[in-house]
Amino acid sequence: MAQTDYIIDSGNSKLYYRTFGKGKPLLIINGGPGMNSDGFTYIAQELAKFNYQTITYDQRGTGKSEVAISSKNITMDLMVQDMENLRKYLKIDKWAILGHSFGGILATYYATKHPEYIDRMILSNSGGINMEFTTYVRQRQLEHLSPTQRDSLAYFEKKQNNGDTSLETRKGRAKYLAYAYVYDKSKAPIIAERLLQFNAEINTLVIQDLFKIKYDCAKKFKNFHQPVLVFQGENDILTVETAEKIAATFPNSKLVLMKNCAHYGWLDAPEIYFANVESFLNS
């Protein structure tokens, strides 16, 4: 699979992006916030097989996208502007967008600002249309762990809270937290590796900004008629109710619930996930 990667200027930020394959453009927005796009290379390569040019990028301050990390530089509006700068740089009139987890929140917010540039949208285990997920997601994480895993996670998180930032402690936390994100527990090491990228400072700044802008898109899509595909694992840390509210917000949406599936459809339920994406993109 041919891959190109570049760094462009986006305001006061350096924005790193990669493209895979050829065809109509599909922007893939990874989760987090506070993680880079490395863990999304596989899905970008797979979706490029559907005659799309898939695009991944590192959100500002993560990976190779460099910016001074501060509340001034890490905001939802600037993250949307990064997406617009990338679209204009690539001379794209309209693109399909896939947002996963927090990436679904960012995709949704982008859609409130620039609906005219969206051809279709996939919201994959998205955080939702408002901040409701923050009231329950930590409890859901813990409920998806065994007692032993919870105890081990608590041990490493206590060490971190006491100032231990060593790689060993970070790996321990990531190892046990990862089990909450997959139904097939053999896939947990893939997620643990990704969780090691986590930048807590960026994560906190983004969540704070979401509250500051009063992120709530429940009534903003009455005139948004582009097709929207909503994926949700029935065993996710995010609830099915959150996905149902997303689907109800968009007039032209389809909700796909995946059994025996947690936060990553392409890991737990790849046949259902990729078949639905291919059908949706090429319909």
Side-chain angles (χ1 to χ4, degrees):
M1 177 67 64
Q3 171 189 329
T4 58
D5 54 334
Y6 302 94
I7 294 177
I8 65 170
D9 290 323
S10 179
N12 64 349
S13 173
K14 298 290 185 184
L15 194 69
Y16 170 77
Y17 77 93
R18 285 175 286 186
T19 66
F20 305 83
K22 294 181 179 180
K24 292 184 285 187
L26 169 63
L27 179 71
I28 299 174
I29 312 174
N30 62 269
M35 297 184 189
N36 65 39
S37 61
D38 284 354
F40 283 67
T41 299
Y42 167 72
I43 187 173
Q45 292 172 330
E46 288 300 303
L47 298 187
K49 296 175 183 177
F50 303 150
N51 299 316
Y52 271 78
Q53 181 185 63
T54 54
I55 306 157
T56 64
Y57 73 103
D58 289 348
Q59 293 160 23
R60 56 175 42 221
T62 72
K64 297 177 183 176
S65 290
E66 298 177 358
V67 71
I69 297 173
S70 68
S71 59
K72 178 183 175 183
N73 290 333
I74 306 294
T75 70
M76 290 293 289
D77 284 316
L78 286 173
M79 293 166 88
V80 164
Q81 190 57 54
D82 288 339
M83 294 165 65
E84 267 301 276
N85 290 341
L86 181 57
R87 183 189 66 80
K88 291 172 183 175
Y89 179 83
L90 294 173
K91 296 180 170 61
I92 293 169
D93 292 327
K94 283 193 174 188
W95 51 8
I97 295 178
L98 185 155
H100 176 77
S101 194
F102 164 71
I105 289 176
L106 184 51
T108 302
Y109 190 60
Y110 176 87
T112 68
K113 303 289 186 180
H114 302 288
E116 68 276 18
Y117 301 131
I118 298 173
D119 176 58
R120 58 193 61 218
M121 190 158 62
I122 300 169
L123 299 174
S124 171
N125 292 71
S126 170
I129 53 166
N130 55 34
M131 298 302 287
E132 194 174 276
F133 75 95
T134 61
T135 66
Y136 69 72
V137 74
R138 175 60 176 177
Q139 185 59 36
R140 295 269 297 183
Q141 286 176 337
L142 298 177
E143 288 172 358
H144 283 70
L145 300 176
S146 69
T148 301
Q149 290 163 352
R150 280 197 296 271
D151 289 345
S152 299
L153 177 63
Y155 169 76
F156 287 107
E157 288 190 335
K158 183 177 180 181
K159 291 186 73 173
Q160 279 194 324
N161 292 336
N162 288 333
D164 183 347
T165 58
S166 67
L167 180 60
E168 180 185 5
T169 295
R170 288 169 52 226
K171 279 185 173 180
R173 176 185 179 272
K175 174 183 177 180
Y176 291 103
L177 182 57
Y179 288 111
Y181 286 85
V182 284
Y183 184 83
D184 178 356
K185 302 306 180 185
S186 71
K187 301 291 199 315
I190 298 172
I191 306 306
E193 186 176 337
R194 176 155 177 73
L195 288 171
L196 277 177
Q197 303 169 359
F198 181 71
N199 184 310
E201 186 179 6
I202 291 175
N203 182 276
T204 298
L205 289 171
V206 173
I207 298 297
Q208 286 176 346
D209 191 62
L210 282 163
F211 278 111
K212 181 180 177 182
I213 64 175
K214 296 180 171 61
Y215 171 74
D216 188 340
C217 302
K219 298 177 181 177
K220 295 187 177 180
F221 292 109
K222 292 176 182 175
N223 297 315
F224 186 95
H225 296 291
Q226 295 92 316
V228 177
L229 178 63
V230 181
F231 278 114
Q232 184 61 37
E234 292 187 356
N235 309 93
D236 192 10
I237 58 170
L238 296 164
T239 64
V240 169
E241 288 75 20
T242 291
E244 289 172 341
K245 289 176 181 177
I246 296 170
T249 300
F250 292 94
N252 186 13
S253 69
K254 176 186 177 183
L255 173 60
V256 175
L257 298 177
M258 298 171 287
K259 294 183 182 298
N260 301 329
C261 178
H263 198 56
Y264 290 87
W266 63 90
L267 292 179
D268 278 332
E271 291 181 4
I272 294 172
Y273 192 90
F274 287 118
N276 275 279
V277 171
E278 181 177 19
S279 174
F280 177 75
L281 289 178
N282 294 323
S283 62

